[in-house]
Amino acid sequence: MSKRASKSRIADYFRSVYQSHPAVITRAPGRIEFIGNHTDYNGGLVAGAAIDRSILVAAGIRTDRILRFASEFSTGTASCELDAIRKIEGKGRWANYPLGVYTELAERGLRPDAGFNLAIMSDLPSGAGLSSSAALELSTALAIGTLYGMTLSRADLVQIGRSAENKFLGVPTGPLDQSVCAHGRENHLVFIDCRTLEADLVPVPPECRIRIFNTGTKHSLLDSLYSKRHSECSEVLRIIRKMHPEIEYLTDAKESFLDELGGNAPEEVVKCARHVIRENERVRATREALNRGDIERTGKLMHESHESSRTLFENSCPELDTLSDLLNAHPRVHGARLSGGGFGGAAIALTSEAFGDDDATAIREEYRKAYNHFPDTLACAITDGAEVLQK
Ligand code: GLA
């Protein structure tokens, strides 16, 4: 990504598209999933962090009843009638995220007299598993809410973004992305209990850094593979509940329940369940390790999480495995793992302060030998969550 998104750049962009000044500017960050893989929609625990790569939205009210969307990362604008919201097909499809958010706000009582102009700018790589969708949803929700004087709490932002994604976009994601995007805090990890949606902040040890390596690969069936794993988790839960009806979520189950299933459940769904149950315990253990300042243990848990994705949940890929192997063997890396849904995207590493650009270059070179292209790398800072920059 060449240029950083900034308040002045997006104000200029808004003026160039709409020949007027924006009334509101908002920002929402991307996120890393630190640990807690596919635990969120299974009622479990997860930890993430907001990163210093964001989506900015500038907004202004129009005089007619049109909603207009322009994005620096896509050519052309998209538009829709305020009174006839419909899903957009083709090139302007990205506008379905802000449209989904608008629909959620309308369901909560927003009845504007006039439409809006929206301009979007990003320095967050999309398709890297860094949750550009949640960043777009939350920056839009804050912008539209602020524009029409609707007060939204962080909890509202989480619900609006997630519902937009689940209902309007039809992707059955859990609350991880929106929760981290809403609750993020500088130099802190956000631990989320996905049942209550409570978020707790735990400081990142000051001597540690986060590095992202983006494989640049994305499985063409990404959304359907994600949905497949989601259904497999529901399927195994249904089977376990026949013996343990008290279980509400998969993360309530004990591993011993899986051994009781015998041949009553397909092996692949049992493996998924094993991953989710163990991963949930790893999030708990990570929190305890961080609380006692045990960075080595934290790193080991990250490595174990990746191995579990590789062998049990099978949501890794050769490129991510290579990065995990290279990083986890590195003396200045505490631990590394794939981050997010998997099947491509990015790996993250918790490194020591001493891990520098030369180290990253050496890893990229090793990776290139295997795949003939370099992974992008990003030394990222951990930042605050979604915010209004101007109103
Ligand atoms: C994606 C989803 C999240 C979560 C992760 C896997 O990032 O958007 O809700 O399920 O995958 O942990």
Side-chain angles (χ1 to χ4, degrees), residues 31 33 36-41 46 165 173-177 226 340-341:
R31 63 103 190 88
E33 174 192 279
N37 191 247
H38 289 257
T39 47
D40 65 346
Y41 56 84
V46 61
E165 189 141 342
T173 48
L176 159 70
D177 306 344
Y226 184 91

Side-chain angles (χ1 to χ4, degrees), residues 69-382:
F69 307 95
S71 156
E72 210 199 26
F73 58 78
S74 162
T75 49
T77 56
S79 60
C80 195
E81 297 265 346
L82 189 59
D83 307 298
I85 303 291
R86 51 171 179 83
K87 243 174 136 172
I88 294 176
E89 307 289 341
K91 248 183 20 199
R93 270 200 323 268
W94 58 268
N96 288 325
Y97 288 93
L99 270 177
V101 164
Y102 175 78
T103 307
E104 285 300 316
L105 291 169
E107 272 184 22
R108 286 159 185 258
L110 183 70
R111 297 278 175 273
D113 293 330
F116 56 70
N117 288 327
L118 229 64
I120 293 153
M121 180 173 276
S122 170
D123 57 19
L124 176 63
S126 72
L130 300 175
S131 198
S132 50
S133 348
L136 182 52
E137 288 149 13
L138 268 68
S139 50
T140 309
L142 257 190
I144 303 176
T146 311
L147 198 61
Y148 295 111
M150 191 177 196
T151 308
L152 300 171
S153 67
R154 289 181 200 279
D156 293 332
L157 290 175
V158 174
Q159 277 178 5
I160 290 166
R162 187 179 177 202
S163 294
E165 189 141 342
N166 292 172
K167 294 199 251 156
F168 204 77
L169 280 308
V171 192
T173 48
L176 159 70
D177 306 344
Q178 291 82 8
S179 299
V180 175
C181 186
H183 295 285
R185 173 84 58 84
E186 192 177 357
N187 296 333
H188 284 73
L189 295 175
V190 187
F191 279 78
I192 305 142
D193 178 334
C194 298
R195 222 165 273 207
T196 60
L197 293 184
E198 266 165 44
D200 264 350
L201 298 167
V202 175
V204 177
E207 64 275 40
C208 289
R209 298 288 177 271
I210 301 280
R211 267 276 172 176
I212 298 174
F213 289 84
N214 180 8
T215 62
T217 61
K218 184 177 164 183
H219 202 293
S220 59
L221 298 174
L222 184 68
D223 285 349
S224 62
L225 284 167
Y226 184 91
S227 304
K228 183 163 183 276
R229 289 293 181 275
H230 192 286
S231 328
E232 284 165 343
C233 291
S234 309
E235 185 187 342
V236 70
L237 175 63
R238 238 185 348 262
I239 302 171
I240 297 172
R241 280 170 61 101
K242 288 188 190 149
M243 289 166 135
H244 297 276
E246 73 284 3
I247 296 296
E248 195 182 346
Y249 292 101
L250 191 50
T251 47
D252 288 327
K254 297 192 174 49
E255 254 199 280
S256 59
F257 296 0
L258 303 178
D259 306 329
E260 293 166 18
L261 294 177
N264 294 330
E267 199 196 322
E268 66 273 16
V269 304
V270 175
K271 281 167 73 182
C272 286
R274 227 177 265 290
H275 168 79
V276 169
I277 295 167
R278 289 183 186 171
E279 185 72 1
N280 202 45
E281 283 314 309
R282 274 190 284 272
V283 181
R284 225 186 288 280
T286 299
R287 194 181 173 141
E288 285 163 13
L290 284 169
N291 283 343
R292 53 171 200 273
D294 191 342
I295 300 170
E296 200 184 319
R297 174 89 182 119
T298 303
K300 283 218 167 74
L301 288 160
M302 293 172 78
H303 190 179
E304 281 172 21
S305 166
H306 185 89
E307 287 309 303
S308 177
S309 277
R310 188 200 308 239
T311 57
L312 290 177
F313 207 70
E314 297 186 20
N315 63 330
S316 188
C317 61
E319 291 87 344
L320 284 169
D321 289 342
T322 300
L323 282 175
S324 168
D325 291 346
L326 290 167
L327 288 162
N328 279 306
H330 196 283
R332 285 177 286 287
V333 171
H334 301 297
R337 59 180 292 274
L338 68 81
S339 178
F343 310 108
I348 56 154
L350 182 71
T351 74
S352 72
E353 254 177 305
F355 185 96
D357 289 340
D358 289 352
D359 294 314
T361 304
I363 299 236
R364 294 178 74 222
E365 184 51 48
E366 281 303 308
Y367 178 98
R368 192 198 58 84
K369 284 183 196 156
Y371 301 103
N372 220 12
H373 73 97
F374 286 106
D376 287 336
T377 177
L378 189 65
C380 64
I382 296 185

